[in-house]
Amino acid sequence: MTIAPTRIPPGLLAPHPATRRVPWPELVAIAYAVVQLALVVPHLGLGWDETVFVSQVDPRTPAAYFSAPRSRGISFLVAPVLAVTGSTTALRVALALLSAGALYAAYRVWRPLIGPGRTALASLLFAGLWTSLLYGPQAMPNLWVALSSVAAAGWFLRAMRPRAPRGTLIALGATVAAATSFRLSDGVWLALPLLASCAAVRRWRRPAPLLAIVAGLALGGAEWVVEAYARWGGVGNRLAVSSATQGGMGAQWAVGMAWRSLDGPLLCRPCRVGLAHPELTLWWLALPVLVLAACLLALRTRRRSIIWLPALCGAALSVPYLLLIGYSAPRFLLPAYALLALPLATQAADTYQSLHRPRARFLLAAAAVVLLALHLAGQYRVLVHNEADARATTGAYRSAAHGLRRLGLTPPCLVTGAHAPPVGYYAGCASANVSGNNRNITAQALLRRAAHDPTAALTAKDSGPPRYARDWTPHPLPGTGLTAYVRSSSSTP
């Protein structure tokens, strides 16, 4: 397959007077921040994965176990805020504002390539998704991979233009490094179509862009590789542990799971949920069809690369979550959505401009506005529902932590068992587990620590104590569905 080099019509680089008067990309970013601040920030506590990432750099709490598949980019991102305050609200506000700025900056890279109108539409298509709004103020990596990938693809195309400034190569490497630091595997999947394009397009066969991509991968993955040798004995061992933690990476058909979990739950593992509102998933089913149509229509233009490259990168970033993993979460496909919004917006605008009759233009614009309004209304409906579910979950974590403190668990203390990382974080305790994906201690070592630190083992209500805590005192934690088994002074280690 051959991708034509980027050629921008001269008129595209000069904004239309109407576009110059209305700063649509800036307005989309502002609206993205406002919706987050109004609907998500005031109500949402820290979720399970967030407490793991945040605890790594929060000086007020012990660090939770950091499992093999994780990357530390999001921890580094929130570290400056946590150095100043431990307030969840302050962290949420900072991330909401930062994500809105990053949304604008990432799509701003594309403005010289597709123009401000198309840039604004693409960013709106992505920012209007309920997953983008819910995870904008959260300390989770997927949204940041998405925005880094959008910027990286744009800088790649700009670096391939004749007499491109050297700064474009630096920006390309930096954005690939950013995506890789947030999730190593996603950085690799992003780099693959970029490297393949360097090889496939004759005029792109230059060493500088290739070296920039490779350097970005190396820089973004350096910490992960160093930690692989320090904690797991090498990259191969860490990859093997990562695969086991995720249930075994391999050829698996996860498209159905991704579709069924599209509107929630936030984590579908095991994924046996039914599809509650199929009408709200029509956009997802139409997405690959529309992107494929945009790619085919681009065959007749000189701007094939502007359509094809983000489509290829988006498809590549969806591969591990649709074909290689045995569970699903709506946030996994955020990088794909962010990239696929670009060919959709570009082709939609091109189709509109190709119409010469005013009536046809009016009808197309009216239909597009109606469909977009219906789509955003559906996304709002799903956002409210899932935000409420997330709020209830984090509220249960807080209630369990309050219950443990009433039982006398104060730092230094230890929480183990069900939901140990988030409950331990809220209680100010260390967390550890003797089994499962977060196993990081043996039962014997846990009992030795329990001999001198206040310790509680959490289990589901009425499920009975762990074997090592059979003589510990049970304390139901109302409103959480959990029972805490607390080691009393008479318990033997």
Side-chain angles (χ1 to χ4, degrees), residues 103-142:
L103 175 82
Y104 173 77
Y107 284 96
R108 175 66 177 80
V109 176
W110 284 80
R111 187 177 296 186
L113 299 169
I114 61 177
R118 293 169 176 82
T119 298
L121 180 57
S123 62
L124 176 62
L125 290 174
F126 177 65
L129 296 175
W130 73 265
T131 40
S132 303
L133 291 163
L134 184 63
Y135 288 101
Q138 291 195 47
M140 294 290 283
N142 310 86

Side-chain angles (χ1 to χ4, degrees), residues 45-405:
L46 295 176
W48 181 317
D49 291 293
E50 285 188 287
T51 61
V52 174
F53 288 120
V54 167
S55 69
Q56 308 303 310
V57 291
D58 189 343
R60 302 158 196 83
T61 58
Y65 175 68
F66 202 78
S67 60
R70 301 185 188 274
S71 298
R72 294 186 182 268
I74 196 68
S75 298
F76 298 149
L77 181 70
V78 302
V81 179
L82 293 167
V84 177
T85 176
S87 167
T88 298
T89 300
L91 179 62
R92 290 276 186 250
V93 170
L95 286 173
L97 297 176
L98 191 58
S99 62
L103 175 82
Y104 173 77
Y107 284 96
R108 175 66 177 80
V109 176
W110 284 80
R111 187 177 296 186
L113 299 169
I114 61 177
R118 293 169 176 82
T119 298
L121 180 57
S123 62
L124 176 62
L125 290 174
F126 177 65
L129 296 175
W130 73 265
T131 40
S132 303
L133 291 163
L134 184 63
Y135 288 101
Q138 291 195 47
M140 294 290 283
N142 310 86
L143 178 87
W144 298 94
V145 173
L147 298 177
S148 300
S149 300
V150 166
W155 285 120
F156 177 87
L157 289 173
R158 289 175 64 169
M160 294 304 179
R161 296 166 66 181
R163 296 180 295 278
R166 185 175 300 177
T168 58
L169 293 173
I170 297 174
L172 171 60
T175 48
V176 171
T180 307
S181 71
F182 290 119
R183 281 191 69 87
L184 178 84
S185 59
D186 285 351
V188 173
W189 283 102
L190 168 66
L192 286 176
L194 298 179
L195 295 172
S197 297
C198 287
V201 181
R202 182 174 301 176
R203 293 188 182 182
W204 291 357
R205 293 173 188 168
R206 296 188 283 121
L210 188 148
L211 290 175
I213 296 167
V214 173
L217 275 175
L219 181 63
E223 188 281 330
W224 192 94
V225 172
V226 170
E227 189 174 12
Y229 283 96
R231 293 181 56 194
W232 283 278
V235 172
N237 288 341
R238 184 170 188 176
L239 290 174
V241 174
S242 297
S243 177
T245 300
Q246 294 175 318
M249 296 289 288
Q252 303 182 64
W253 182 253
V255 176
M257 289 186 288
W259 178 47
R260 293 195 304 274
S261 65
L262 180 64
D263 295 331
L266 298 180
L267 179 63
C268 195
R269 184 178 188 181
C271 199
R272 302 189 183 98
V273 299
L275 192 62
H277 298 285
E279 72 279 4
L280 298 179
T281 67
L282 294 177
W283 71 270
W284 195 82
L285 297 174
L287 182 61
V289 177
L290 293 174
V291 172
L292 180 60
C295 291
L296 293 176
L297 290 172
L299 287 171
R300 298 180 297 176
T301 72
R302 293 186 175 182
R303 295 192 295 126
R304 292 192 294 272
S305 57
I306 291 176
I307 299 289
W308 287 6
L309 185 79
L312 287 172
C313 291
L317 280 162
S318 70
V319 166
Y321 304 113
L322 296 179
L323 301 177
L324 299 177
I325 198 169
Y327 62 100
S328 187
R331 59 185 168 86
F332 287 168
L333 293 176
L334 278 171
Y337 301 151
L339 285 156
L340 296 180
L342 289 159
L344 288 181
T346 302
Q347 190 57 57
D350 288 350
T351 301
Y352 175 80
Q353 289 188 346
S354 68
L355 300 177
H356 301 295
R357 294 183 178 181
R359 180 179 177 82
R361 283 194 170 197
F362 173 79
L363 291 176
L364 179 61
V369 169
V370 170
L371 289 174
L372 183 60
L374 291 173
H375 172 67
L376 293 178
Q379 294 299 305
Y380 171 78
R381 176 181 172 185
V382 178
L383 171 66
V384 171
H385 173 75
N386 282 288
E387 191 273 336
D389 284 350
R391 183 169 68 247
T393 300
T394 57
Y397 296 153
R398 284 173 167 163
S399 297
H402 291 321
L404 293 180
R405 282 197 290 268

Side-chain angles (χ1 to χ4, degrees), residues 454-473:
T455 302
L458 302 177
T459 67
K461 185 179 178 181
D462 300 329
S463 65
R467 180 174 301 178
Y468 57 81
R470 284 177 296 183
D471 57 345
W472 295 9
T473 305

